Amino acid sequence: MTNDLILIIDFGSQVTQLIARRLREAGVYTEILPCTTIADKISTAKPRGVILSGGPASVAMADTPRAPQIVFDLAVPVLGICYGQQTMCQQLGGRVEPGKRREFGRADLRVIEPSALFEGVWDDAASKHTVWMSHGDHVAALPDGFRVVAKSANAPFAAVADEARHYYGVQFHPEVVHTEGGDRLLSRFAIGICGCSGSWSMAAYRQRAIAAIRAQVGDGKVICALSGGVDSSVAAALIHEAIGEQLTCVFVDHGLLRVGEAEEVVRLFGGQYNIPLIHKDVAELFLGRLEGISDPEQKRKIIGNSFIEVFDAEAAKIDGARFLAQGTLYPDVIESISAAGGDAVTIKSHHNVGGLPEDMVLELVEPLRELFKDEVRALGRELGLPEILVSRHPFPGPGLAIRIPGAITRDKLNILREADAVYLDEIRKAGLYDKIWQAFAVLLPVKTVGVMGDARSYDYACALRAVTSSDGMTADSYPFSHDFLSRTATRIVNEVKGVNRVTYDVTSKPPGTIEWE
């Protein structure tokens, strides 16, 4: 998208994506490439600077990853973080060895010499700052030209610098929120040292993306699988702005959506935005094929294959369709690169419900593939989409099917829809919807005995889940008050026939995956 670029070479750290996010928040366009990337791809990108990420391996072992030599041949600034610092120092002639004491968590960093990397961040010499460490090995000897600029109790080379070549290494992780001023340090490297303009924005992205869509599509026709979720909706709106009537959206209504979603999609895109829209109601087909199926992966495959079958049949009716649009996001691209060992394969396309057919003849149009989820929301606002859509919680391709463990029935779907609607209504009334990344109800595959009034009941238990996140890469359970949970549970039991017990799931999601479901 731009030559005002910082490349991140990924060595497998769970928080590599946070480096890119921090820099994009500072207006610097950033891309992540695996450490196995060939030299030509790195050179062709023409980055203004390179960041070497952390990673789980040990530089002290001979068969662990190293930075491609092209990184040091480009004559651009380089910042090594944790493992990145260690491999940079060793590759340039220094030495790394296992530390006598490991260092994990918060640590006090002491600045001992000024450095261009610290300007405007940590200017005062001999000051102490809280940073986040996560290492067992450490640099034991520096390459020629480097000097130590900061230390911690267990890292004598906590920050090092070769000012002449603009090479810097930090043992701590500036990308995590626990490091004091870490975001400013990354910004200082990209803008102050590498010379990036810091002008990357959604407005600029919008114009470049529209130009790219027009150049790719020409006078061809594009079909888009519209689900009503944030990704496909923003992609459809952006493509429609670029090529107008050349776009046709196909909305496959599989009967597994939340209350009122199908009607909202048709009203918004077919009515308000006047985007050509095919609404295919195939709920009976999907529910028939799912009857009696309990295994969640089998459900996903049935839904994915059925979706593609219906979508292909409708797409075949559109004369001259040559392109398929989908809402691939940057985390999808990164995940596919990792899975393929270096070459990106498109995995979005309802990647959690089956993927694309191998014999697909349509060319892909993926205008969001450089964006994180929160950036897609920002682009949606830039395009003027309503906030109720832009801020909508993520919803998986298989819909309610994977929120009903065990076999799916129409009765279970109706019970879950009603319970989920009550839950989200209470969240909105409490002003919490935008503070939560994703909230939903799950209909558990057990019935419990209860007493309601003067009669016994034998009905389902319903679990509620809500998580906080900025991008879906990591998540924590939302700390609802007892009053909120009590009020919501009471409403569900009273208003939803078929539920007599409500529980709250406090599970958190570790790093390493893209979507909660």
Side-chain angles (χ1 to χ4, degrees):
M1 296 295 293
T2 175
N3 60 2
D4 200 8
L5 166 71
I6 297 294
L7 274 186
I8 300 171
I9 305 299
D10 182 23
F11 290 96
S13 170
Q14 291 183 331
V15 291
T16 297
Q17 292 189 41
L18 289 180
I19 306 172
R21 286 182 48 75
R22 298 290 176 259
L23 287 173
R24 290 192 182 188
E25 288 165 2
V28 177
Y29 184 67
T30 313
E31 290 184 2
I32 300 172
L33 295 176
C35 58
T36 54
T37 300
I38 60 174
D40 285 349
K41 190 169 185 179
I42 296 173
S43 179
T44 302
K46 298 181 179 179
R48 287 186 177 270
V50 176
I51 296 177
L52 308 177
S53 84
S58 170
V59 175
M61 300 179 65
D63 58 349
T64 50
R66 297 294 183 266
Q69 181 57 39
I70 186 66
V71 168
F72 306 110
D73 295 338
L74 289 174
V76 298
V78 179
L79 171 63
I81 296 174
C82 197
Y83 185 94
Q85 180 213 40
Q86 295 169 8
T87 193
M88 175 175 68
C89 286
Q90 181 140 310
Q91 287 179 243
L92 294 177
R95 188 176 77 256
V96 174
E97 62 186 28
K100 294 180 181 179
R101 292 182 61 186
R102 298 183 301 172
E103 193 172 29
F104 295 95
R106 289 180 175 84
D108 287 332
L109 183 84
R110 184 166 59 89
V111 175
I112 60 173
E113 285 193 34
S115 168
L117 186 64
F118 297 156
E119 287 181 16
V121 184
W122 299 326
D123 288 321
D124 47 332
S127 61
K128 287 186 178 181
H129 305 277
T130 300
V131 298
W132 188 263
M133 294 284 192
S134 180
H135 67 101
D137 299 345
H138 66 236
V139 176
L142 289 176
D144 291 342
F146 280 81
R147 60 190 175 89
V148 180
V149 294
K151 296 181 178 182
S152 72
N154 296 310
F157 300 90
V160 299
D162 180 339
E163 304 286 1
R165 290 183 287 182
H166 303 297
Y167 288 172
Y168 303 91
V170 295
Q171 184 59 71
F172 56 91
H173 287 270
E175 66 272 29
V176 302
V177 296
H178 310 82
T179 293
E180 174 189 339
D183 54 346
R184 289 185 288 120
L185 187 145
L186 290 171
S187 177
R188 168 61 188 163
F189 173 74
I191 297 174
I193 294 174
C194 298
C196 293
S197 65
S199 61
W200 190 75
S201 67
M202 278 303 107
Y205 186 93
R206 174 185 181 180
Q207 295 307 316
R208 289 196 297 267
I210 287 172
I213 293 167
R214 289 171 178 166
Q216 180 185 4
V217 172
D219 60 358
K221 291 184 179 179
V222 180
I223 54 176
C224 175
L226 185 64
S227 69
V230 177
D231 304 343
S232 66
S233 298
V234 173
L238 181 65
I239 294 170
H240 186 253
E241 182 171 310
I243 60 173
E245 297 295 311
Q246 293 170 244
L247 170 69
T248 299
C249 290
V250 178
F251 173 42
V252 178
D253 184 354
H254 49 37
L256 303 169
L257 299 172
R258 292 170 290 200
V259 170
E261 285 192 323
E263 295 80 2
E264 185 179 15
V265 169
V266 173
R267 178 190 61 78
L268 184 63
F269 288 92
Q272 182 176 338
Y273 287 100
N274 200 30
I275 297 176
L277 175 68
I278 297 172
H279 176 202
K280 192 67 176 178
D281 186 346
V282 285
E284 293 303 315
L285 170 68
F286 277 72
L287 296 182
R289 292 181 177 181
L290 289 168
E291 187 173 354
I293 305 298
S294 298
D295 179 75
E297 289 308 309
Q298 193 175 356
K299 289 180 188 177
R300 291 176 184 270
K301 290 178 181 178
I302 290 172
I303 294 168
N305 291 335
S306 299
F307 181 94
I308 291 171
E309 176 185 320
V310 174
F311 183 82
D312 283 351
E314 294 304 313
K317 301 174 185 178
I318 303 173
D319 185 40
R322 291 169 41 209
F323 300 89
L324 170 63
Q326 61 178 21
T328 305
L329 303 191
Y330 195 47
D332 301 321
V333 176
I334 297 169
E335 185 84 357
S336 66
I337 289 174
S338 299
D343 284 320
V345 240
T346 303
I347 62 168
K348 182 69 176 177
S349 150
H350 293 296
H351 65 276
N352 52 357
V353 294
L356 290 166
E358 293 182 2
D359 58 350
M360 189 186 73
V361 296
L362 297 175
E363 183 180 337
L364 289 175
V365 178
E366 298 173 307
L368 310 181
R369 63 181 286 120
E370 285 89 10
L371 302 182
F372 289 100
K373 188 78 169 191
D374 56 326
E375 294 172 330
V376 173
R377 297 188 197 279
L379 178 58
R381 295 184 182 98
E382 175 72 24
L383 290 165
L385 291 175
E387 189 62 31
I388 192 171
L389 175 60
V390 171
S391 62
R392 177 173 289 168
H393 291 174
F395 192 60
L400 298 180
I402 58 170
R403 295 176 179 178
I404 301 177
I408 299 169
T409 66
R410 288 164 180 79
D411 285 343
K412 287 182 179 179
L413 283 168
N414 290 332
I415 291 171
L416 181 56
R417 279 195 189 95
E418 292 180 28
D420 193 67
V422 171
Y423 182 33
L424 294 179
D425 182 54
E426 286 296 324
I427 287 175
R428 287 191 173 97
K429 285 179 176 177
L432 301 175
Y433 190 85
D434 292 336
K435 297 179 181 179
I436 295 171
W437 168 262
Q438 187 181 45
F440 55 90
V442 177
L443 193 66
L444 300 180
V446 293
K447 285 190 171 183
T448 64
V449 176
V451 176
M452 300 180 71
D454 296 324
R456 284 189 177 277
S457 67
Y458 185 57
D459 289 319
Y460 288 102
C462 176
L464 306 179
R465 172 174 286 170
V467 294
T468 59
S469 179
S470 60
D471 46 36
M473 293 184 289
T474 62
D476 289 318
S477 58
Y478 186 81
F480 285 124
S481 69
H482 180 272
D483 286 346
F484 173 89
L485 292 174
S486 176
R487 182 171 63 253
T488 303
T490 299
R491 274 196 64 188
I492 291 175
V493 171
N494 286 340
E495 298 177 24
V496 181
K497 186 177 180 181
V499 175
N500 69 0
R501 187 180 301 274
V502 177
T503 65
Y504 180 57
D505 184 351
V506 295
T507 305
S508 293
K509 173 193 165 193
T513 54
I514 292 176
E515 291 186 330
W516 180 265
E517 296 181 286

